[in-house]
Each structure stands twice: as C-alpha cells, then as structure tokens.
Amino acid sequence: MAGGKLIIFSAPSGSGKTTIVRHLLEQPDLNLAFSVSAASRPRRGKEKNGEHYYFMTVSEFKKHIKNDDFLEWEEVYRDNFYGTLKTEVERLWAEGKNVIFDIDVVGGLRIKKKFPKETLAVFVKPPSIDELKIRLKKRSTESDDKINMRIAKAGVELATAPQFDKIIKNYDLDIALKEAHDLVDSFVNPKE
Ligand code: 5GP
C-alpha cells in the first residue's frame, strides 16, 4: 500500500472529534476523504450504510478478520466491532486523496505504527469527564447503560493521549477547529 497521507483523529466518545473531522473534510486545501469504517453496532438515527459506516453483522465482521481484510480492527465495546478495511484506504489513495479517520485510540495508534511517516495522529481532549457525560446525554442517541460504558472507557482513553503526535483541547469549538485546520494543513501541505 502506498499513497497520500493519513490523518487520525481519536478521542473519547463525545469529545467533539466527529465535528472537527467533518469541518476538516469541507476544507478543499486539505484534499481529505473520510475513511468509512466497518462496524457491527446497530445503526443510530439517520446514519447511512456506506456513508457513516459499512454496517455488518458480528459474523460478517469476523469473516473479514479471518480473511485479513482489516488494516486494524477493535472490539471497541462488547460485540461492537469496528475496523478499517484495507480496500477503503487503497480506494481513497487511488483517488489521490489524503485519508482522515475518526477511530478509537487503539486503532489510531495501530495505524500510526504501521505507517509512521505518512500518519499524523491527533488526540482530541474534552474539558472533563463530567462535560463528556453532559454532551453524551444531550446527544440522547443511546441508553444510560451505553453512555456509562462510554464514560468508563473515556478515562483509559485519556491516558493514551501522550502517545499521539498532537493533542487538541476541545474547550472552545471555534479555537479547536482552527487549531485542527492549521495542524493538518502544515502536515499535508508542508512548506519547504
Ligand atoms: P460510535 O459508535 O460512536 O460511532 O463509535 C465508537 C468508537 O469507535 C469511536 O471512538 C469511534 O472513533 C471508534 N471507531 C470508529 N471506526 C473505527 C475503526 O475503524 N477502528 C477503530 N479501532 N475504532 C473505530
């Protein structure tokens, strides 16, 4: 596999990384395309297959694991598998794009390890765990159980932040968006 750059955005669920990634995708100077992951969790709200995720059953997902189709995969929550298909990155690189990922911390660091030079790994830090809880409740797309599961994981995820190339604090969204743009811009369009 060879091609453009890889931009990873990882963070605890509810940190605002999806908002940041969406914003970056709209910036033509960055020439980004979104890596659609495979996922075995149920569809939420208005999510579309092939756009937000390639939704599949746990057994379909396991078949892809067996075939070595993933660049990385993770059982992020119990029976909720998520993974990056090799074909997805190959397809976007063939289109001449830089690929941006919205994935969990373990997956993000795995990709960084596989492609150290081509990858910029960014960790998005929420103001606090309490604020995360408030944001997840506001989103109201999941049960309290599921929200608690995500909060429990957030502490572990926060501890991995120092392993990333850069940390963005998402305390003020406008500032975080600008910071994210500048970071990605200097990585994909280096001025020499
Ligand atoms: P959600 O269910 O909220 O869409 O995603 C749950 C978590 O799974 C998020 O942290 C998200 O970034 C992560 N995730 C999404 N796609 C992938 C992937 O392809 N690989 C890994 N390792 N994590 C992913």
Side-chain angles (χ1 to χ4, degrees):
M1 285 172 79
K5 302 267 169 70
L6 303 174
I7 313 293
I8 314 269
F9 273 81
S10 293
S13 185
S15 306
K17 72 174 181 304
T18 304
T19 309
I20 296 175
V21 167
R22 279 198 198 130
H23 170 78
L24 295 175
L25 278 162
E26 286 166 8
Q27 313 305 313
D29 56 327
L30 304 179
N31 188 30
L32 297 172
F34 182 65
S35 166
V36 178
S37 297
S40 73
R41 74 148 165 76
R43 224 176 278 199
R44 267 198 318 243
K46 289 186 182 149
E47 288 178 336
K48 285 199 189 115
N49 189 37
E51 194 178 307
H52 297 89
Y53 285 109
Y54 299 114
F55 291 100
M56 54 183 71
T57 61
V58 172
S59 87
E60 284 168 330
F61 197 101
K62 287 185 173 164
K63 229 179 255 169
H64 282 296
I65 296 176
K66 238 187 176 170
N67 289 344
D68 194 26
D69 291 335
F70 288 113
L71 199 55
E72 63 76 36
W73 64 270
E74 193 69 24
E75 188 175 10
V76 177
Y77 307 105
R78 191 150 173 242
D79 267 346
N80 285 7
F81 290 86
Y82 297 82
T84 306
L85 289 161
K86 291 176 184 169
T87 49
E88 182 68 1
V89 175
E90 281 161 1
R91 179 175 76 80
L92 298 173
W93 270 354
E95 286 175 14
K97 295 287 189 182
N98 299 305
V99 183
I100 187 162
F101 301 79
D102 172 346
I103 69 179
D104 100 308
V105 295
V106 179
L109 292 171
R110 258 185 208 146
I111 291 181
K112 174 80 194 172
K113 212 169 176 189
K114 279 194 181 163
F115 298 98
K117 282 207 191 97
E118 295 88 342
T119 305
L120 172 71
V122 183
F123 189 91
V124 182
K125 215 171 182 179
S128 66
I129 297 268
D130 282 344
E131 177 62 25
L132 259 194
K133 218 180 268 181
I134 293 165
R135 289 184 189 177
L136 285 172
K137 290 214 162 132
K138 252 197 217 151
R139 193 159 85 179
S140 67
T141 45
E142 285 142 310
S143 62
D144 277 359
D145 258 14
K146 290 251 166 79
I147 290 178
N148 288 336
M149 204 161 77
R150 283 169 191 260
I151 296 294
K153 199 164 187 230
V156 180
E157 290 168 330
L158 282 170
T160 68
Q163 296 177 55
F164 284 75
D165 297 319
K166 299 282 177 192
I167 298 174
I168 289 181
K169 291 181 187 149
N170 187 11
Y171 299 178
D172 175 304
L173 184 61
D174 285 337
I175 295 174
L177 292 178
K178 164 122 189 26
E179 213 180 310
H181 182 276
D182 290 349
L183 261 182
V184 176
D185 182 36
S186 55
F187 187 72
V188 301
N189 301 315
K191 288 161 192 75
E192 275 157 80

